[in-house]
Amino acid sequence: MMQLYDYVLSGSCYKVRLFLSMIGKDFETIPVDYYPGGEHKTPEFLEINPLGQIPVLRDGDLTLRDAQAILVYLAGRYDTGRTWYPEDAETQGQIAMWLSFAGGEIMNSSAARLHDMLFYDFDIDKVRAAARAAFRVLDDHLTEREIDGADWIVGDAPTIADIACFPYVALSGDGGIPLDDYNAIRRWIARFKTIPGFTIMPGIHAN
Ligand SMILES: N[C@@H](CCC(=O)N[C@@H](CS)C(=O)NCC(=O)O)C(=O)O
Protein backbone atom coordinates (compact mmCIF):
# COMPACT_ATOMS: atom_id res chain seq x y z
CA MET A 1 0.00 0.00 0.00
CA MET A 2 1.06 3.57 -0.63
CA GLN A 3 3.01 5.14 2.25
CA LEU A 4 3.15 8.78 3.30
CA TYR A 5 5.94 10.07 5.54
CA ASP A 6 3.79 12.36 7.58
CA TYR A 7 3.59 14.79 10.49
CA VAL A 8 0.10 15.61 11.72
CA LEU A 9 0.76 19.35 12.17
CA SER A 10 2.34 19.76 8.73
CA GLY A 11 0.21 21.68 6.23
CA SER A 12 2.38 20.26 3.43
CA CYS A 13 1.61 16.67 4.49
CA TYR A 14 -2.04 17.70 4.85
CA LYS A 15 -2.10 18.59 1.13
CA VAL A 16 -1.43 14.93 0.37
CA ARG A 17 -3.77 13.53 3.05
CA LEU A 18 -6.55 15.79 1.79
CA PHE A 19 -6.16 14.75 -1.81
CA LEU A 20 -5.93 11.05 -1.07
CA SER A 21 -9.12 11.36 0.95
CA MET A 22 -10.87 13.28 -1.82
CA ILE A 23 -10.00 10.66 -4.44
CA GLY A 24 -10.78 7.84 -2.02
CA LYS A 25 -7.34 6.24 -2.12
CA ASP A 26 -6.14 4.21 0.87
CA PHE A 27 -2.68 4.85 2.26
CA GLU A 28 -0.52 4.21 5.31
CA THR A 29 1.16 6.97 7.22
CA ILE A 30 4.69 6.67 8.53
CA PRO A 31 4.82 9.24 11.33
CA VAL A 32 7.94 11.44 11.31
CA ASP A 33 8.90 13.03 14.64
CA TYR A 34 9.37 16.47 13.10
CA TYR A 35 9.10 18.37 16.37
CA PRO A 36 10.73 18.10 18.81
CA GLY A 37 12.61 15.07 17.45
CA GLY A 38 13.91 16.57 14.20
CA GLU A 39 13.70 13.12 12.63
CA HIS A 40 13.51 14.66 9.13
CA LYS A 41 17.17 15.73 9.49
CA THR A 42 18.55 12.35 10.60
CA PRO A 43 20.91 10.44 8.28
CA GLU A 44 18.24 7.74 7.91
CA PHE A 45 15.61 10.21 6.71
CA LEU A 46 18.10 12.08 4.48
CA GLU A 47 18.52 8.79 2.62
CA ILE A 48 14.81 9.04 1.80
CA ASN A 49 14.78 12.80 1.07
CA PRO A 50 18.16 14.54 0.88
CA LEU A 51 16.35 17.86 1.35
CA GLY A 52 15.29 16.76 4.84
CA GLN A 53 11.65 17.68 4.27
CA ILE A 54 8.26 16.06 4.50
CA PRO A 55 6.00 14.98 2.86
CA VAL A 56 7.49 12.04 1.00
CA LEU A 57 5.32 9.50 -0.79
CA ARG A 58 6.28 5.92 -1.55
CA ASP A 59 4.19 4.04 -4.10
CA GLY A 60 5.74 0.74 -5.15
CA ASP A 61 9.23 1.52 -6.43
CA LEU A 62 8.53 5.25 -6.68
CA THR A 63 9.71 7.69 -4.00
CA LEU A 64 8.56 11.29 -4.43
CA ARG A 65 9.23 14.38 -2.37
CA ASP A 66 7.42 17.74 -2.55
CA ALA A 67 3.68 18.01 -1.99
CA GLN A 68 3.05 19.63 -5.37
CA ALA A 69 4.94 16.92 -7.25
CA ILE A 70 3.07 14.28 -5.27
CA LEU A 71 -0.29 15.85 -6.18
CA VAL A 72 0.62 15.84 -9.88
CA TYR A 73 1.58 12.17 -9.66
CA LEU A 74 -1.48 11.08 -7.71
CA ALA A 75 -3.87 12.96 -9.97
CA GLY A 76 -2.24 11.60 -13.12
CA ARG A 77 -2.14 8.06 -11.81
CA TYR A 78 -5.30 7.63 -9.77
CA ASP A 79 -7.90 10.24 -10.81
CA THR A 80 -9.53 8.27 -13.59
CA GLY A 81 -11.97 11.12 -14.34
CA ARG A 82 -8.99 13.50 -14.91
CA THR A 83 -10.87 16.38 -13.32
CA TRP A 84 -8.23 17.24 -10.70
CA TYR A 85 -5.45 17.68 -13.27
CA PRO A 86 -7.07 17.91 -16.68
CA GLU A 87 -5.06 16.88 -19.69
CA ASP A 88 -5.14 20.01 -21.84
CA ALA A 89 -1.93 22.01 -21.95
CA GLU A 90 -3.49 25.39 -21.13
CA THR A 91 -5.14 24.11 -17.95
CA GLN A 92 -1.99 22.23 -16.94
CA GLY A 93 0.06 25.39 -17.40
CA GLN A 94 -2.33 27.37 -15.20
CA ILE A 95 -2.32 24.65 -12.56
CA ALA A 96 1.50 24.52 -12.59
CA MET A 97 1.56 28.29 -12.04
CA TRP A 98 -0.56 27.97 -8.89
CA LEU A 99 1.31 24.87 -7.68
CA SER A 100 4.49 26.89 -7.84
CA PHE A 101 2.76 29.72 -5.95
CA ALA A 102 1.60 27.22 -3.30
CA GLY A 103 5.12 25.85 -2.85
CA GLY A 104 6.66 29.33 -3.03
CA GLU A 105 4.95 32.56 -2.00
CA ILE A 106 2.25 30.94 0.15
CA MET A 107 4.93 29.13 2.18
CA ASN A 108 5.60 32.46 3.90
CA SER A 109 2.43 31.65 5.85
CA SER A 110 4.02 28.34 6.84
CA ALA A 111 7.13 30.20 8.00
CA ALA A 112 5.00 32.54 10.16
CA ARG A 113 3.29 29.51 11.66
CA LEU A 114 6.60 27.73 12.35
CA HIS A 115 7.81 30.89 14.07
CA ASP A 116 4.72 31.24 16.26
CA MET A 117 4.06 27.57 17.00
CA LEU A 118 7.47 25.88 16.96
CA PHE A 119 9.76 28.84 17.79
CA TYR A 120 11.61 28.91 14.45
CA ASP A 121 13.99 31.85 14.09
CA PHE A 122 12.36 33.65 11.15
CA ASP A 123 11.95 37.41 10.62
CA ILE A 124 8.28 37.33 11.54
CA ASP A 125 7.38 40.78 10.20
CA LYS A 126 9.00 39.97 6.87
CA VAL A 127 7.35 36.58 6.41
CA ARG A 128 3.94 37.87 7.49
CA ALA A 129 4.21 40.76 5.01
CA ALA A 130 5.19 38.33 2.24
CA ALA A 131 2.29 36.02 3.13
CA ARG A 132 -0.14 38.94 3.06
CA ALA A 133 1.17 39.97 -0.37
CA ALA A 134 0.59 36.41 -1.60
CA PHE A 135 -2.91 36.35 -0.12
CA ARG A 136 -3.72 39.63 -1.90
CA VAL A 137 -2.73 38.05 -5.22
CA LEU A 138 -4.89 34.99 -4.53
CA ASP A 139 -7.82 37.05 -3.24
CA ASP A 140 -7.78 39.30 -6.34
CA HIS A 141 -7.64 36.21 -8.56
CA LEU A 142 -10.55 34.55 -6.75
CA THR A 143 -12.56 37.78 -6.95
CA GLU A 144 -12.06 37.85 -10.72
CA ARG A 145 -13.02 34.20 -10.92
CA GLU A 146 -16.22 34.89 -8.98
CA ILE A 147 -17.08 37.75 -11.33
CA ASP A 148 -16.74 35.21 -14.16
CA GLY A 149 -19.02 32.82 -12.27
CA ALA A 150 -16.23 30.42 -11.30
CA ASP A 151 -15.65 28.96 -7.83
CA TRP A 152 -12.16 27.53 -8.14
CA ILE A 153 -8.61 28.69 -8.82
CA VAL A 154 -8.48 27.11 -12.30
CA GLY A 155 -11.37 25.86 -14.45
CA ASP A 156 -14.88 24.89 -13.47
CA ALA A 157 -14.13 22.25 -10.84
CA PRO A 158 -11.63 21.92 -7.99
CA THR A 159 -8.14 20.97 -9.13
CA ILE A 160 -4.87 20.15 -7.42
CA ALA A 161 -4.17 23.91 -7.53
CA ASP A 162 -6.93 24.39 -4.92
CA ILE A 163 -5.57 21.51 -2.85
CA ALA A 164 -2.01 22.88 -2.87
CA CYS A 165 -3.03 26.44 -1.98
CA PHE A 166 -5.61 25.59 0.70
CA PRO A 167 -3.66 24.44 3.80
CA TYR A 168 -1.36 27.39 4.50
CA VAL A 169 -4.05 29.90 3.59
CA ALA A 170 -6.57 28.25 5.91
CA LEU A 171 -3.90 27.86 8.66
CA SER A 172 -2.76 31.49 8.46
CA GLY A 173 -4.27 32.34 11.85
CA ASP A 174 -1.66 30.04 13.44
CA GLY A 175 1.00 32.44 12.13
CA GLY A 176 -0.82 35.55 13.32
CA ILE A 177 -2.27 36.44 9.92
CA PRO A 178 -6.05 36.92 10.07
CA LEU A 179 -8.03 36.60 6.86
CA ASP A 180 -10.47 39.48 7.55
CA ASP A 181 -9.18 41.51 4.59
CA TYR A 182 -9.54 38.64 2.12
CA ASN A 183 -13.24 38.22 1.43
CA ALA A 184 -12.92 36.05 -1.68
CA ILE A 185 -10.42 33.77 0.08
CA ARG A 186 -12.84 33.27 2.99
CA ARG A 187 -15.65 32.35 0.59
CA TRP A 188 -13.30 29.94 -1.27
CA ILE A 189 -12.32 28.29 2.02
CA ALA A 190 -16.00 27.75 2.83
CA ARG A 191 -16.59 26.21 -0.62
CA PHE A 192 -13.47 24.05 -0.32
CA LYS A 193 -14.77 22.49 2.89
CA THR A 194 -17.83 21.19 1.01
CA ILE A 195 -15.75 19.09 -1.42
CA PRO A 196 -16.58 15.40 -0.83
CA GLY A 197 -13.79 13.72 1.13
CA PHE A 198 -12.68 16.94 2.82
CA THR A 199 -10.77 16.14 6.03
CA ILE A 200 -9.63 18.31 8.87
CA MET A 201 -6.30 18.73 10.66
CA PRO A 202 -5.44 20.56 13.88
CA GLY A 203 -6.19 24.24 13.21
CA ILE A 204 -8.66 23.54 10.39
CA HIS A 205 -12.25 22.84 11.33
CA ALA A 206 -15.07 21.31 9.31
CA ASN A 207 -16.95 24.63 9.06
N1 LIG B 1 8.78 21.97 -1.15
C1 LIG B 1 8.27 21.13 -0.10
C2 LIG B 1 8.47 21.82 1.22
C3 LIG B 1 7.76 21.08 2.34
C4 LIG B 1 8.12 21.64 3.68
O1 LIG B 1 8.51 22.81 3.83
N2 LIG B 1 7.98 20.78 4.66
C5 LIG B 1 8.32 21.17 6.00
C6 LIG B 1 7.32 20.57 6.96
S1 LIG B 1 5.72 21.30 6.70
C7 LIG B 1 9.70 20.65 6.27
O2 LIG B 1 9.94 19.47 6.13
N3 LIG B 1 10.62 21.54 6.65
C8 LIG B 1 11.94 21.19 7.00
C9 LIG B 1 12.95 21.98 6.24
O3 LIG B 1 12.59 22.66 5.25
O4 LIG B 1 14.10 21.93 6.60
C10 LIG B 1 6.80 20.81 -0.34
O5 LIG B 1 6.09 21.71 -0.80
O6 LIG B 1 6.37 19.69 -0.04
Side-chain angles (χ1 to χ4, degrees):
M1 186 183 295
M2 207 183 307
Q3 295 176 315
L4 175 66
Y5 290 84
D6 184 47
Y7 176 57
V8 72
L9 292 180
S10 161
S12 299
C13 295
Y14 176 55
K15 294 175 188 181
V16 181
R17 296 196 303 269
L18 254 178
F19 188 51
L20 286 167
S21 172
M22 287 176 176
I23 62 173
K25 188 81 191 151
D26 289 338
F27 64 104
E28 284 172 2
T29 54
I30 302 179
V32 175
D33 181 8
Y34 183 87
Y35 184 87
E39 191 185 343
H40 56 300
K41 299 298 182 190
T42 59
E44 294 75 21
F45 191 82
L46 293 173
E47 289 284 319
I48 298 164
N49 179 2
L51 300 184
Q53 295 178 333
I54 47 174
V56 172
L57 184 82
R58 276 206 162 137
D59 191 15
D61 291 337
L62 178 70
T63 301
L64 272 184
R65 62 171 183 257
D66 189 276
Q68 291 62 233
I70 294 168
L71 293 175
V72 167
Y73 166 71
L74 290 172
R77 177 102 195 237
Y78 294 112
D79 172 28
T80 46
R82 289 311 298 249
T83 62
W84 289 96
Y85 186 55
E87 277 164 322
D88 71 284
E90 191 175 319
T91 305
Q92 289 192 344
Q94 290 175 335
I95 289 174
M97 184 175 80
W98 290 103
L99 292 180
S100 176
F101 184 75
E105 287 80 357
I106 287 181
M107 290 304 277
N108 285 290
S109 172
S110 167
R113 187 167 169 264
L114 287 169
H115 173 276
D116 283 15
M117 288 180 70
L118 303 184
F119 319 111
Y120 275 50
D121 184 21
F122 290 129
D123 179 339
I124 188 63
D125 293 333
K126 192 172 166 193
V127 294
R128 280 191 190 136
R132 286 194 194 97
F135 292 173
R136 173 51 43 222
V137 169
L138 179 60
D139 195 71
D140 287 350
H141 175 72
L142 288 167
T143 301
E144 285 171 20
R145 298 285 294 147
E146 285 178 343
I147 290 167
D148 291 341
D151 285 340
W152 308 106
I153 293 177
V154 178
D156 297 330
T159 66
I160 56 173
D162 297 281
I163 305 278
C165 290
F166 178 79
Y168 288 115
V169 176
L171 289 166
S172 66
D174 286 351
I177 310 168
L179 292 175
D180 305 60
D181 292 339
Y182 309 102
N183 295 331
I185 283 180
R186 283 188 284 103
R187 289 190 292 271
W188 168 74
I189 287 173
R191 288 193 292 277
F192 189 93
K193 290 179 176 181
T194 69
I195 298 172
F198 173 76
T199 50
I200 57 171
M201 68 165 275
I204 297 185
H205 310 290
N207 43 44

